[in-house]
Amino acid sequence: YTQIANKMELHSLSILNNISELLSYQKDAPMLFSSGLFWVLFLLFIPMYAMLKNRRWQMITFVVAFSLYFYYKSSGFFFLLLIGTSLLDWILSHIIIRFNSQFARKLCVTISIICSIGILCYFKYANFFLWNWNQMVEWNFQPLDVILPVGISFYTFQSISYIVDVYKERVAPTKTWLEYLFFLSFFPALVAGPIVRADYFLPQVRQNNRATRNDIYLGFWLILLGIIKKAIIADYIAQYNDLIFANPTGYTGFESLMGVIGYTMQIYCDFSGYSDMAIGIALIMGFKLSKNFDFPYKSKNLTEFWRRWHISLSSWLRDYIYIPLGGNRKGTFRTYLNNFLTMLIGGLWHGADWKFVFWGAMHGVGLAIHKAFKPLLDKIPNTWLVKAISWSITMLVVSLLWVFFRADSWQDSLLIIQNIFVDFHPDYIPVFATVRYIWIIMMAVIIISHSLPQRWYDAMANWFVKSPWIAKLAIFVVVVQLVIQFMSEEVTPFIYFQF
């Protein structure tokens, strides 16, 4: 009896240790929207959230606790940094509204922005700046042992926009720190956006509206779309794309071209899939997040592309960088320069590497060129041929610039592009079509999805919302089966987690 009891005790301790390890932070396995653990926790979270919805402060406390735990599972004890940032912002926002002195108000804003940017620069750019300084002075540079907190770029921009909006009286500061922490740490948008604006989100927190039946089903629809984009399409086509970018000269130019086009589609499905899931989860909770993607590969120029791609970042850069620089109010040259500088900052925001700076700078140049020639372009008849040429040029520029975004180094980027134009070998096309037919089918799905009118998507979403539960269940089962069929050996992190 004693031996049996000891074995049962050891077995129980083993189970508890496994559960404890599963629920604690694991550097190599951050919690993702596409991971099973998140959905298990979310299914446990939702009933409790629904019960507390009418008790506003209890609900806020519960969501903040869950959000901080979610961030802990994604980035370890850096959740304490998020708490500290929120506390400083909240205190300074209340000091701002109590001062009549413009100097004192500006000082508070400056302190908040310097602290936010300073923290971001340390974690994200310290080694980049030190490496470049070392290149100039030829020191023996040793990289700092710095771990980048997940999502720090996103919540830093939210922090800056909040304090600036309070200063400009666009939004009133939250009455309590807990409300502001709710806004800054809201888990659906915390680690990879969309970037949430205080003037859009805080009124929803105060109203505390319940999700309608339609909201819940529409949220479920968006989650399923996000899973299809991320866990099925993006993760599958990434397996081939990764081979190309890992060995820039090891494949023919045609294969490299397919890898470049593949990554162009992969990053869209990966990031827009995350956004769909984030918006869907928030909608189920009764909150509306702004649309982040609007079929960007339909664009016929770079200006249109940036109105459709990562909309929350584009609008943030416009409102807090481009317009404060002068926007288009200070002459033609300044307009072009402001566009260029805004995109340069946008490129640097994405990563501490010269290839990201180049990526942003070239988009800035492209936007300036389009604006310069727009009066002439507007005189050209908008025929299908003109549309096709405009779309082709836009996609060529966007796709080639994605190479610098994805490649491991500047040299790899140039090698891949050179390989496409120098070593093309069209005789590989039949072999590629035979071996990579599933990859081609998935690419075709993405391309066709961009060619369909918006009303079709609205009709599909409306049908899903109104469909019987058995139809919803059948669609869910099919999506799960497809995920199991095509998933890789391990869950692939979202691309924008690194930013």
Side-chain angles (χ1 to χ4, degrees):
Y1 175 79
T2 304
Q3 289 179 345
I4 293 173
N6 289 337
K7 286 182 180 179
M8 290 179 65
E9 184 179 355
L10 289 172
H11 184 64
S12 299
L13 288 173
S14 177
I15 292 174
L16 290 174
N17 287 334
N18 289 337
I19 293 174
S20 176
E21 185 177 348
L22 183 66
L23 296 178
S24 60
Y25 170 64
Q26 296 174 346
K27 181 181 177 182
D28 298 328
M31 188 158 66
L32 315 172
F33 281 175
S34 54
S35 63
L37 176 61
F38 170 77
W39 293 110
V40 169
L41 293 176
F42 185 68
L43 289 174
L44 296 173
F45 163 85
I46 278 295
M48 182 65 70
Y49 173 79
M51 286 190 292
L52 295 175
K53 186 65 175 174
N54 291 332
R55 303 173 183 178
R56 183 168 175 267
W57 289 110
Q58 292 182 31
M59 180 274 292
I60 288 176
T61 304
F62 178 63
V63 174
V64 166
F66 187 85
S67 296
L68 292 176
Y69 175 72
F70 174 79
Y71 194 58
Y72 162 73
K73 279 291 293 176
S74 300
S75 208
F77 286 99
F78 285 119
F79 79 91
L80 297 173
L81 186 63
L82 174 63
I83 293 173
T85 298
S86 68
L87 184 58
L88 178 64
D89 284 345
W90 184 78
I91 292 171
L92 289 174
S93 68
H94 277 266
I95 294 174
I96 287 171
I97 63 168
R98 292 178 183 178
F99 275 109
N100 292 323
S101 166
Q102 277 295 102
F103 174 78
R105 287 161 56 84
K106 285 183 178 179
L107 180 62
C108 289
V109 174
T110 303
I111 291 171
S112 176
I113 293 176
I114 288 176
C115 288
S116 294
I117 296 295
I119 292 169
L120 179 64
C121 284
Y122 170 73
F123 284 104
K124 194 166 185 176
Y125 304 107
N127 280 323
F128 175 67
F129 291 137
L130 288 173
W131 181 86
N132 283 282
W133 176 256
N134 178 71
Q135 294 298 105
M136 291 186 290
V137 300
E138 297 183 353
W139 283 356
N140 183 21
F141 170 64
Q142 296 296 326
L144 299 176
D145 186 18
V146 177
I147 299 173
L148 180 66
V150 171
I152 188 171
S153 299
F154 288 92
Y155 77 70
T156 295
F157 272 20
Q158 288 184 201
S159 166
I160 292 172
S161 65
Y162 169 79
I163 206 75
V164 170
D165 286 351
V166 169
Y167 169 75
K168 294 193 173 182
E169 300 180 355
R170 295 172 184 158
V171 64
T174 61
K175 292 182 179 179
T176 66
W177 168 59
L178 198 61
E179 283 180 292
Y180 180 65
L181 184 56
F182 183 99
F183 157 72
L184 199 63
S185 67
F186 188 57
F187 73 90
L190 177 57
V191 296
I195 298 171
V196 180
R197 302 277 280 271
D199 59 346
Y200 180 75
F201 189 75
L202 287 177
Q204 297 184 55
V205 179
R206 297 182 187 114
Q207 292 164 9
N208 194 31
N209 294 328
R210 276 188 174 274
T212 65
R213 192 184 193 89
N214 284 359
D215 287 339
I216 293 171
Y217 288 145
L218 182 57
F220 186 37
W221 168 255
L222 289 172
I223 290 170
L224 290 177
L225 279 183
I227 291 173
I228 291 169
K229 287 181 181 178
K230 163 60 182 171
I232 299 174
I233 298 177
D235 284 0
Y236 182 84
I237 64 177
Q239 295 174 49
Y240 172 75
N241 304 336
D242 291 345
L243 294 175
I244 299 300
F245 283 94
N247 189 4
T249 59
Y251 298 87
T252 66
F254 170 75
E255 291 170 305
S256 295
L257 177 62
M258 292 300 99
V260 170
I261 296 174
Y263 183 73
T264 299
M265 300 306 171
Q266 176 196 343
I267 192 171
Y268 164 72
C269 287
D270 190 284
F271 194 15
S272 70
Y274 181 94
S275 293
D276 287 342
M277 284 187 267
I279 294 168
I281 291 168
L283 202 55
I284 289 173
M285 295 171 62
F287 296 95
K288 290 179 172 63
L289 300 182
S290 59
K291 191 175 185 178
N292 211 22
F293 288 86
D294 186 18
F295 298 101
Y297 295 150
K298 285 184 176 181
S299 305
K300 299 174 188 68
N301 54 69
L302 286 182
T303 302
E304 183 184 0
F305 174 79
W306 280 103
R307 287 173 181 162
R308 292 174 176 268
W309 177 273
H310 201 349
I311 299 168
S312 62
L313 174 65
S314 301
S315 60
W316 195 98
L317 291 171
R318 178 197 64 206
D319 294 343
Y320 297 97
I321 302 294
Y322 177 70
I323 291 176
L325 285 173
N328 57 2
R329 305 185 307 274
K330 296 189 176 182
T332 303
F333 175 75
R334 277 294 300 274
T335 298
Y336 299 156
L337 180 61
N338 292 340
N339 261 306
F340 177 78
L341 292 175
T342 301
M343 293 310 300
L344 198 68
I345 292 170
L348 190 59
W349 175 86
H350 281 86
D353 196 299
W354 284 112
K355 61 191 182 76
F356 289 111
V357 175
F358 177 79
W359 174 81
M362 289 301 98
H363 271 284
V365 170
L367 288 171
I369 291 173
H370 176 251
K371 286 186 182 295
F373 284 92
K374 193 174 186 303
L376 177 62
L377 294 172
D378 288 343
K379 295 177 182 178
I380 301 174
N382 197 23
T383 63
W384 69 268
L385 180 61
V386 171
K387 291 178 180 178
I389 293 172
S390 300
W391 176 84
S392 299
I393 293 172
T394 302
M395 286 305 300
L396 177 65
V397 172
V398 169
S399 298
L400 289 179
L401 288 177
W402 279 136
V403 176
F404 295 91
F405 199 90
R406 168 61 180 85
D408 293 333
S409 67
W410 175 269
Q411 291 76 13
D412 284 358
S413 304
L414 297 178
L415 285 172
I416 289 171
I417 294 173
Q418 180 185 4
N419 196 35
I420 292 172
F421 291 99
V422 174
D423 191 30
F424 193 77
H425 292 294
D427 48 303
Y428 274 77
I429 295 175
V431 178
F432 183 89
T434 303
V435 175
R436 300 286 178 182
Y437 66 93
I438 297 179
W439 185 91
I440 293 173
I441 291 171
M442 289 193 175
M443 294 289 289
V445 168
I446 308 167
I447 294 169
I448 292 170
S449 71
H450 270 71
S451 65
L452 300 177
Q454 180 62 46
R455 67 177 183 276
W456 287 29
Y457 290 97
D458 295 338
M460 284 188 285
N462 189 53
W463 174 86
F464 182 86
V465 168
K466 295 180 179 180
S467 65
W469 70 267
I470 191 69
K472 294 182 178 70
L473 179 61
I475 293 171
F476 172 74
V477 170
V478 169
V479 170
V480 171
Q481 287 299 316
L482 288 172
V483 171
I484 294 171
Q485 179 70 32
F486 291 107
M487 69 179 180
S488 54
E489 294 181 359
E490 56 185 31
V491 177
T492 307
F494 289 93
I495 291 173
Y496 265 67
F497 265 31
Q498 63 185 298
F499 308 129

